[in-house]
Amino acid sequence: MKTLNDFNFKNKKALIRVDFNVPLNDQFKVTDDTRIQSAKPTIIKILEDGGSCILMSHLGRPKGVDASFSLKHIVDKVEDILGVEVKFVSNCVGEDAINATNNLEPGEILLLENLRFHKEEEAGDEAFAQQLASLGDIYVNDAFGTAHRAHASTTVIAQFFPDNKCFGFLMEQEIKSIDKVMKTGEKPVCAILGGAKVSSKITIIDNILDKIDHLIIGGGMTFTFIKAQGGKVGNSLVEDDKLKLASEILEKAKAKNVQVHLPVDAIIADAFSNDAHTNTCDVSNIPDGWMGLDIGPNTEALFAQVIMESKTILWNGPLGVFEMPNFAKGTIALGYAISEATKNGAFSLVGGGDSVAAVKQFGFEDKVSYVSTGGGAMLESLEGKTLPGIAAILN
Ligand SMILES: Nc1ncnc2c1ncn2[C@@H]1O[C@H](COP(=O)(O)OP(=O)(O)O)[C@@H](O)[C@H]1O
Ligand SMILES: O=C(OP(=O)(O)O)[C@H](O)COP(=O)(O)O
């Protein structure tokens, strides 16, 4: 695996694919700068070597040129974080981009305009990729969040740098963290899967059963499993067409010696609302008209015990409807247990859009071993897929 440390960037122009697809508010201010912060070590290493950085990214999903998706909105934030002036060019290819990169001196940074202003980016157009490639000497892919997209700047471009391409530090860290869970994790390995639907997590469950000792299931997925075992789930979220599949997963887990931990009690509500009436009950005996929106206190204790005994922990998917304060307690309790286990020496990885949002919202970000910068990219990795952005560097 070629990484930044295999190169010296002195007098070289590094063409770096970053994922600066960050959330902006109505005033076009960055509301979460994690992805910019995460790219900093790569950029600083190249500058310290005596090279220059050409940063390319997408922002949002614009249909053609659209000023509200311009990367110029984030220039100030990138400058603040890097502590270095950031030049900006209003097109990622063409004469302006060529001139700006030709004039770039060692120690300087240039940010190119949104790659997705050109439809060729998402189409993976080879000629467009070649135009981008002509701007730099060494291609660095540090965009883990976009590594599941086979786009021009993430994948197709790599062929134009047969000997001069590598992963950035962020990408390296993401790959190593996933490997720590999926390949080299110290036992017992525990995966906690929550979130809304069995159907969106099934490929992950299938892929990880061979690698884990404990599987904790929570969130909305719970009730398909409980119903499959003959429980009464009231109006809870259930995928009736997945009942057989849920039973099969439980059997498969048993055959592979994976201990499955399902909730034993639930916080129930009489409506999908933070203002609904609530109660606590046996997870297999939810009255009609009520739905389970969080794990109950006995489940919290049970799950915490499994987590505290684990040496490697993977967490994907909230345990309840954490967006509503009345149903966030289980997710918070779990975040706390994972933090404690991490303090005691376990390795913990959190991935997936909503799980990462929950971890940040409840202040566990610095208390777990690693929080992925990728939503979709992380989920696809856990499903066992080879991400095109990673494969392009390895090939
Ligand atoms: N008991 C539940 N009933 C309905 N929805 C739930 C329940 N528990 C969690 N959820 C919802 O699941 C969603 C997250 O699921 P998902 O997208 O699969 O997670 P991730 O993005 O981390 O992979 C959240 O919006 C949360 O409110
Ligand atoms: O934010 C991203 O994905 P994510 O929301 O799944 O983490 C990436 O920048 C990829 O963006 P895309 O899903 O528009 O290709």
Side-chain angles (χ1 to χ4, degrees):
M1 173 159 118
K2 263 198 177 167
T3 68
L4 284 182
N5 289 329
D6 294 313
F7 291 89
N8 188 318
F9 288 85
K10 192 169 170 57
N11 293 324
K12 300 285 183 203
K13 291 185 171 111
L15 182 62
I16 315 173
R17 179 46 158 111
V18 286
D19 187 340
F20 284 174
N21 183 28
V22 289
L24 303 180
N25 64 16
D26 293 347
Q27 282 79 49
F28 299 108
K29 294 275 179 249
V30 177
T31 55
D32 180 350
D33 62 14
T34 309
R35 283 180 170 172
I36 304 173
Q37 297 275 8
S38 305
K40 184 174 175 176
T42 292
I43 296 166
I44 297 298
K45 136 85 183 166
I46 291 165
L47 297 184
E48 282 180 354
D49 269 7
S52 57
C53 296
I54 303 161
L55 306 177
M56 50 179 182
S57 179
H58 73 286
L59 176 66
R61 294 176 174 173
K63 306 257 170 288
V65 179
D66 179 341
S68 56
F69 291 99
S70 172
L71 279 166
K72 73 172 186 288
H73 299 305
I74 72 160
V75 170
D76 288 351
K77 181 53 102 180
V78 180
E79 274 183 350
D80 277 357
I81 289 172
L82 299 177
V84 183
E85 186 201 344
V86 173
K87 298 179 175 195
F88 179 74
V89 59
S90 57
N91 195 352
C92 61
V93 289
E95 208 174 315
D96 288 347
I98 293 169
N99 288 338
T101 50
N102 281 345
N103 292 330
L104 204 62
E105 299 288 337
E108 291 186 333
I109 301 173
L110 174 72
L111 176 64
L112 306 179
E113 181 56 290
N114 196 339
L115 293 156
R116 290 192 184 170
F117 283 179
H118 296 262
K119 63 178 186 327
E120 291 82 356
E121 162 65 0
E122 288 175 80
D125 184 85
E126 222 175 280
F128 177 72
Q130 193 164 17
Q131 277 180 281
L132 291 171
S134 71
L135 302 175
D137 303 313
I138 301 172
Y139 171 66
V140 180
N141 191 343
D142 214 16
F144 179 73
T146 323
H148 57 318
R149 307 287 183 221
H151 293 171
S153 68
T154 60
T155 305
V156 183
I157 192 171
Q159 66 188 286
F160 301 108
F161 297 89
D163 303 314
N164 281 347
K165 58 180 179 181
C166 66
F167 294 117
F169 288 138
L170 171 64
M171 195 69 135
E172 196 184 344
Q173 211 178 357
E174 295 272 3
I175 295 169
K176 283 185 177 160
S177 298
I178 296 167
D179 281 355
K180 253 189 184 170
V181 173
M182 308 291 265
K183 294 185 184 157
T184 58
E186 193 185 337
K187 283 174 157 298
V189 181
C190 173
I192 303 141
L193 291 186
K197 293 180 180 166
V198 178
S199 50
S200 63
K201 296 287 153 91
I202 180 64
T203 342
I204 296 182
I205 299 179
D206 251 348
N207 186 47
I208 61 176
L209 277 183
D210 282 325
K211 293 149 186 139
I212 61 176
D213 305 293
H214 295 278
L215 174 63
I216 289 179
I217 293 175
M221 283 207 296
T222 302
F223 306 101
T224 303
F225 285 93
I226 297 295
K227 189 169 177 183
Q229 290 180 314
K232 243 181 103 223
V233 296
N235 288 17
S236 305
L237 185 72
V238 167
E239 289 173 271
D240 279 310
D241 59 334
K242 296 288 178 297
L243 293 173
K244 191 162 161 266
L245 186 67
S247 301
E248 283 166 9
I249 292 171
L250 294 175
E251 277 164 30
K252 221 186 220 178
K254 203 170 171 191
K256 291 180 189 276
N257 270 329
V258 176
Q259 286 190 47
V260 179
H261 308 273
L262 279 162
V264 289
D265 56 355
I267 306 293
I268 55 169
D270 60 358
F272 190 79
S273 159
N274 194 49
D275 303 323
H277 296 107
T278 62
N279 212 334
T280 305
C281 80
D282 180 332
V283 76
S284 302
N285 210 0
I286 299 177
D288 289 340
W290 290 72
M291 61 189 87
L293 296 185
D294 198 3
I295 54 172
N298 293 334
T299 306
E300 281 178 21
L302 184 84
F303 287 1
Q305 197 184 340
V306 177
I307 289 166
M308 290 307 290
E309 287 165 8
S310 300
K311 287 276 173 254
T312 303
I313 300 161
L314 167 71
W315 182 17
N316 167 252
L319 279 283
V321 184
F322 75 100
E323 299 92 336
M324 300 182 194
N326 286 339
F327 311 109
K329 212 166 152 272
T331 301
I332 296 172
L334 204 99
Y336 180 75
I338 298 173
S339 305
E340 288 297 298
T342 310
K343 221 194 279 174
N344 291 343
F347 176 81
S348 53
L349 168 64
V350 184
D354 283 310
S355 331
V356 171
V359 161
K360 287 181 179 172
Q361 186 181 327
F362 302 127
F364 295 117
E365 204 177 353
D366 299 327
K367 299 186 172 112
V368 297
S369 310
Y370 194 71
V371 179
S372 177
T373 58
M378 175 50 102
L379 296 184
E380 290 197 19
S381 299
L382 298 178
E383 286 171 6
K385 291 186 187 153
T386 306
L387 307 188
I390 292 177
I393 297 289
L394 296 175
N395 288 340

